[in-house]
């Protein structure tokens, strides 16, 4: 496990003693206040750097330090100015604090604590606002990141704050307390966590407000995840937040801001028609960190083993006639079996599965940019939309460069990304999906990878939504300035957030309307939301800050996309950041205790996270690209083994994956001993019960369907496409009425599944 924190030059953690976190959730927005207590246990004045993770889309809006009874509230300034002021203060013996966002990745922050006197305490408070992510089970996910993995930085890249990350093994030397307050117009059904919580306490009989605390003793050695369930979670909603009367005229903070939350619901008959065409490219992280276990429970798989099982399920779920390919990447990259995408059939499937079985976490560092460049350089297949699935533990140091590349190619593909394990970069995972018009998933703790990946495959196979347009209808005298970028993608049941700035005075009327129109296959669909223009009470400035953050991120990307690095865009970023009090890549929070001054004799003791080292290796055979190799890189020779074979995937697979591994590309199964073994029966038991009117493959496929629906219905999301292929294959055989066969199969499996349920 890799933790972020303060370490000495001998890798001894100092001097953070405790973290206290208060979370206030209002509907699907959370405001998080974290207080970090530092103690200088040295005999000399101390300067320390604390590198820590935050959610990628967080709007950091407050930073203060309390020394004794004196509180110093930081100012947000131009980054270079703030750094100069910090250096001047520390060199003159003043206590100073600097909080800045990494230029390489917006989910990493550096906090410099300067000139703490021996034995002195400093309590640093950071407040940020973030949106809660919607999960597959319709819950809202809050994550308090604890783990910050070392980020692999390619050759020639500047490291910056990311380079200060170091491996700190074992338990962290500080404690964590966490309290959560939830309020919502919708009743709260339940709240779950990957950590131990005290009982949930409802504050009102209608269950619209509740509190909960993290149970004592948490070691903060993993991310703290909370999953919040509301009744009727897919109801669209709107929050209008009043502006600040004292803010400068014409500024974002002066005017009201509205946040619209839409949940498009598509017609079932349209969504059931899944695509049978497409080019599916799977890009798999094979860096050394993928060899770590998914969690520390009994029987935990390594990340790479879980990924292998998931690839098996994905490959078996693809439709006949599509195209596919698989790449692995680390410090270099390679195609598993084919240099370009090939048509999906039994021969190509068998060849791919042989390579997947041999897959190891043996490609050292994590450099994702070069394989992406290679994939994008390949011509797309006509009439087969490209769908890119990226699996990684997210430990890269050039996040923004990767995201810019994905965005540049958004019109030629969709990108579905998966963050594996604790510490995966939210900036990388969510950013690739956002810029690639896809969907992001995180697999942490005891999560199973397969159901989350199969949900994304369903999104990829669903008919695409296009011609998306949005129209605002407001009373006379009011106009809207759109702060969000145009909606590029909509998925069934997934939320779309829209921010708008309301300008002017209403000449009458207290209601507005947002209408979103789009085409789905050959149908024109319209979603509409009416909302009250009266500002919502007790939201603070959370909506304004999230809207400002959305606008700042757009301007930052616009600046990166310009070869001239437009100074006018940078000025807009700094101006909006300072006015809204929200951090950006060009601003930093600076706090100086001007009343403190002490004579500094000799250099301050520095306590920093040391730079992670790499060494160069000669280029190895590869498709393109290179990069650096970590110093503990092992041989990249292909592991020896007896190959995959067409019959059996593994002797220790669970029964579901064992059955799936035996399915043919066409969707059928063979009637043989391996199938019987997957059912826990003998071959004679299967063959002796076979009705005379069906041949062996039809009987075998029918038995597989009955077993899936009768014995594994709780895992349906994982085998849904396998079953659809099987049912389609049976229908293509035109074998007549199968009612008797279904009855016999039910008796054999001890199930009660109807023929209609099987879809045959």
């Amino acid at each position: 496990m890799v933790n972020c924190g303060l370490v000495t030059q001998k890798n001894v953690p100092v001097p953070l003693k405790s973290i206290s976190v208060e979370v206030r959730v209002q509907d699907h927005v959370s405001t998080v206040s974290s207080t970090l207590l530092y103690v200088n246990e040295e005999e000399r004045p101390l300067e320390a750097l604390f590198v820590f993770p935050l959610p990628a889309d967080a709007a950091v809006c407050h930073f203060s330090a309390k020394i004794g009874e004196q509180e110093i509230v930081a100012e947000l300034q131009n980054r270079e100015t703030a750094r100069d002021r910090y250096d001047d203060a520390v060199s003159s013996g003043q206590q100073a604090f600097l909080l800045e966002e990494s230029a390489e990745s917006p989910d990493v922050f550096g906090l410099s604590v300067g000139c703490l006197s021996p034995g002195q305490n400093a309590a640093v408070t950071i407040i940020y606002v973030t949106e809660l992510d919607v999960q597959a089970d319709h819950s809202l996910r809050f994550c308090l990141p604890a783990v910050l993995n070392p980020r692999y930085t390619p050759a020639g890249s500047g490291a910056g704050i990311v380079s200060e990350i170091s491996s700190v093994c074992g338990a962290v030397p500080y404690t964590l307390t966490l309290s959560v307050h939830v309020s919502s117009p919708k009743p709260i059904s339940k709240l779950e966590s990957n950590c131990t919580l005290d009982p949930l306490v409802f504050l009102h009989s209608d269950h619209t407000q509740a509190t909960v605390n993290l149970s004592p003793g948490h070691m903060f050695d993993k991310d703290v995840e909370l999953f919040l369930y509301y009744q009727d979670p897919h109801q669209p909603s709107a929050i209008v937040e009043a502006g600040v009367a004292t803010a400068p005229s014409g500024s974002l903070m002066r005017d009201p801001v509205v946040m619209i939350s839409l949940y498009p619901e598509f017609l079932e008959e349209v969504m059931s028609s899944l695509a049978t065409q497409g080019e599916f490219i799977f890009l798999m992280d094979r860096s050394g960190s993928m060899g770590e276990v998914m969690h520390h429970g009994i029987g935990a798989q390594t990340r790479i083993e879980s990924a292998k099982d998931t690839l098996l399920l994905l490959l078996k779920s693809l439709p006949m006639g599509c195209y596919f390919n698989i790449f692995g990447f680390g410090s270099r990259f390679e195609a598993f079996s084919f240099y370009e995408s090939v048509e999906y059939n039994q021969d190509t499937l068998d060849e791919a599965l042989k390579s997947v079985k041999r897959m190891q976490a043996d490609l050292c560092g994590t450099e994702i940019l070069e394989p992406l460049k290679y994939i994008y350089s390949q011509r797309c297949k006509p009439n087969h939309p490209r769908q890119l699935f990226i699996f990684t533990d997210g430990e890269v140091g050039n996040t923004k460069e990767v995201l810019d590349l994905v965005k540049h190619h958004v019109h030629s593909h969709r990108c579905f990304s998966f963050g594996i394990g604790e510490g995966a970069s939210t900036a990388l995972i969510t950013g690739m999906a956002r810029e690639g018009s896809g969907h992001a998933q995180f697999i942490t703790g005891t999560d199973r990878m397969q159901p989350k990946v199969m949900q994304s495959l369903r999104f990829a196979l669903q008919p695409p939504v296009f011609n998306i347009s949005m129209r605002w209808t407001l009373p006379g005298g009011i106009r809207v300035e759109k702060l969000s970028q145009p909606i590029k993608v909509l998925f069934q049941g997934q939320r779309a957030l829209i921010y708008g700035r309301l300008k002017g005075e209403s000449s009458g009327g207290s209601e507005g309307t947002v209408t979103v129109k789009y085409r789905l296959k050959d149908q024109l669909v319209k979603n509409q939301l009416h909302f009250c223009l009266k500002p919502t009470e007790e939201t603070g400035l959370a909506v304004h800050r999230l809207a400002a953050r959305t606008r700042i991120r757009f301007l930052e990307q616009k600046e990166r996309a310009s070869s001239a690095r437009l100074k006018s865009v940078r000025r807009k970023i700094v101006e909006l950041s300072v006015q809204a009090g929200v951090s950006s890549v060009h601003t930093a929070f600076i706090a100086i205790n001007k009343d403190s001054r002490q004579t500094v004799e000799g250099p301050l003791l520095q306590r920093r996270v040391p730079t992670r080292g790499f060494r160069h290796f000669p280029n190895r055979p590869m498709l393109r690209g290179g990069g650096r190799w970590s110093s503990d890189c092992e041989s990249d020779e292909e592991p020896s083994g007896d190959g995959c074979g067409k019959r059996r995937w593994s002797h220790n697979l669970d029964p579901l994956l064992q059955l799936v591994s035996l399915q043919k590309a066409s969707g059928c199964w063979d009637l043989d001993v391996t199938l019987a073994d997957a059912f826990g029966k003998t071959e004679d038991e299967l063959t002796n019960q076979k009705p005379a009117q069906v041949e062996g493959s039809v009987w075998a496929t029918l038995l597989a369907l009955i077993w899936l629906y009768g014995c594994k219905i709780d895992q349906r999301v994982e085998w849904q496409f396998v079953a659809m292929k099987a049912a389609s294959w049976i229908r293509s055989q035109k074998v007549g009425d199968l009612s008797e066969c279904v009855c016999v199969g039910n008796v054999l499996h001890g199930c009660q599944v109807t023929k209609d349920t099987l879809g045959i």
Side-chain angles (χ1 to χ4, degrees), residues 716-732:
R716 184 174 181 176
V717 69
E718 299 181 40
W719 51 258
Q720 55 184 316
F721 302 113
V722 168
M724 289 171 63
K725 286 174 66 173
S728 177
W729 181 85
I730 289 177
R731 291 195 301 271
S732 72

Side-chain angles (χ1 to χ4, degrees), residues 2 33 54 59 100-102 164 173 194 199 210 222 263 276 289 311 374 414 545 555 578 637 649 659 712 714:
V2 179
S33 176
L54 287 180
E100 53 186 331
E101 177 186 312
S102 164
E164 302 288 353
N194 66 331
K222 60 183 176 182
Y263 289 87
T276 57
S289 55
L311 269 178
Y374 179 81
R414 286 198 296 181
R545 285 164 175 156
L555 292 172
V578 172
E637 294 182 5
W649 177 253
L659 177 68
K712 293 293 179 181
D714 57 329

Side-chain angles (χ1 to χ4, degrees), residues 74-197:
E75 303 173 38
L76 192 58
Q77 297 183 348
N78 178 286
R79 185 171 183 147
E80 297 306 317
T81 301
R83 285 177 169 179
D84 290 343
R85 288 190 61 197
Y86 174 82
D87 290 339
D88 290 344
V90 172
S91 62
S92 66
Q94 292 178 316
Q95 293 160 344
F97 305 84
L98 180 72
L99 178 66
E100 53 186 331
E101 177 186 312
S102 164
E104 301 82 24
S105 187
D107 62 345
V108 179
F109 278 74
L111 171 58
S112 299
V113 180
C115 216
L116 279 182
S117 302
Q120 192 169 48
N121 294 358
V124 174
T125 298
I126 301 166
I127 299 178
Y128 64 88
V129 185
T130 188
E131 301 150 357
L132 302 183
D133 296 327
V134 181
Q135 302 300 292
D137 62 356
H138 312 305
S139 65
L140 296 176
R141 175 181 179 261
F142 168 80
C143 179
L144 181 67
V147 178
L148 183 63
N149 290 331
R151 304 291 170 88
Y152 179 81
T153 306
S157 300
I161 289 175
V162 168
S163 72
E164 302 288 353
I165 303 169
S166 175
S167 299
V168 182
C169 299
V172 293
Y174 44 85
T175 60
L176 170 71
T177 59
L178 173 70
S179 63
V180 182
H181 181 279
V182 183
S183 63
S184 171
K186 300 181 282 284
I188 303 160
S189 298
K190 60 180 177 177
L191 193 151
E192 297 178 346
S193 177
N194 66 331
C195 303
T196 305
L197 300 177

Side-chain angles (χ1 to χ4, degrees), residues 244-423:
V244 180
T246 56
S249 178
S251 69
L252 171 66
M253 304 304 288
R254 181 71 174 262
D255 296 323
V257 170
V258 59
M259 178 173 67
I260 305 291
S261 177
L262 295 176
Y263 289 87
E265 294 288 348
F266 304 149
L267 297 175
E268 179 59 34
E269 58 265 28
V270 175
M271 301 317 295
S272 61
S273 59
L274 300 178
T276 57
Q277 294 177 307
E279 180 191 17
F280 298 88
I281 299 178
F282 305 107
L283 181 56
M284 184 62 61
D285 190 339
R286 286 175 53 189
S287 62
S289 55
M290 288 290 289
E292 297 178 9
V293 293
M294 292 289 292
H295 58 88
H296 295 286
I298 298 175
Q301 287 183 303
T302 63
R303 297 174 184 176
I304 199 72
E305 289 297 330
S306 182
K308 288 164 70 170
D309 288 351
T310 302
L311 269 178
L312 164 67
L313 197 56
L314 277 168
L315 290 172
K316 293 289 186 174
S317 299
L318 294 181
M320 285 289 285
C322 73
Y323 285 79
F324 78 103
N325 204 357
I326 311 171
F327 293 87
F329 72 93
S331 301
R332 60 186 178 89
F333 68 95
E334 60 186 29
F336 276 31
S337 300
F338 317 106
Y339 282 93
E340 62 179 4
S341 296
V342 295
E343 187 174 352
Y344 180 83
N345 55 43
Q346 191 61 50
D347 290 338
T348 55
L349 174 61
D350 286 341
E351 188 66 28
L353 288 176
K354 290 178 184 178
S355 297
V356 170
K357 187 177 182 183
R358 293 194 298 265
M359 181 173 71
Q360 301 292 328
D362 56 359
L363 294 186
C364 306
T366 309
E367 187 170 347
I368 195 173
L369 192 64
E370 292 303 321
L372 283 176
K373 287 180 179 178
Y374 179 81
I375 290 169
Y376 292 143
S377 73
Q378 303 296 295
R379 286 189 176 185
C380 295
K381 303 293 182 183
N383 302 317
H384 287 272
R386 177 172 288 174
Q387 315 278 7
L388 177 59
F389 286 68
I390 301 177
F391 298 81
T392 179
D393 50 16
E395 303 172 11
V396 300
N398 56 343
T399 298
K400 291 183 179 179
E401 196 175 356
V402 172
L403 301 188
D404 290 342
L405 180 66
V406 174
K407 181 179 177 65
H408 182 73
H409 293 276
V410 65
H411 298 296
S412 65
H413 83 301
R414 286 198 296 181
C415 180
F416 297 85
S417 54
F418 305 90
I420 304 170
E422 306 287 352

